[in-house]
Amino acid sequence: MTSEEDLERLRRAKRALLAKYGDRPWFRGAGIAPGAGGLTLRLNVDPEVDLAGEEVPESCEGQPVEVVYIGAYEPRPERDSPDRGRSEEE
């Protein structure tokens, strides 16, 4: 179980990731997610961007970072939108 102190450390580390890497072309987001031993710090990275020469952190503020490669996606339509639930092929 994650304590409030642990959660606050993760929140600080998340803010630090956003501040340091948020403008990088490979950055897709940072968050706190469930992991095997409780909550973990997650860094979402664009798999289509060449990371050669880029610094992708293994830890931040003493917290290990789980790197997840995730492509871009389209935002969901608004709840009342007529396009909600339709596929591109319709």
Side-chain angles (χ1 to χ4, degrees):
M1 177 162 246
T2 305
S3 71
E4 285 297 318
E5 190 175 296
D6 292 336
L7 185 56
E8 187 52 39
R9 278 195 289 268
L10 287 166
R11 287 177 178 149
R12 278 195 306 272
K14 176 186 169 186
R15 289 189 297 268
L17 282 175
L18 288 169
K20 187 169 183 178
Y21 301 103
D23 63 347
R24 304 282 176 100
W26 49 262
F27 183 86
R28 285 285 179 251
I32 299 169
L39 295 176
T40 185
L41 186 60
R42 182 175 286 173
L43 177 63
N44 297 325
V45 174
D46 185 341
E48 296 181 17
V49 174
D50 182 14
L51 296 177
E54 289 286 339
E55 174 191 347
V56 178
E58 293 181 10
S59 67
C60 182
E61 303 274 320
Q63 302 298 311
V65 173
E66 175 189 10
V67 176
V68 177
Y69 293 88
I70 183 168
Y73 58 90
E74 295 293 323
R76 293 182 186 176
E78 294 295 321
R79 183 176 293 275
D80 296 330
S81 168
D83 294 330
R84 186 171 173 96
R86 288 189 175 166
S87 69
E88 290 284 320
E89 297 163 359
E90 288 183 47

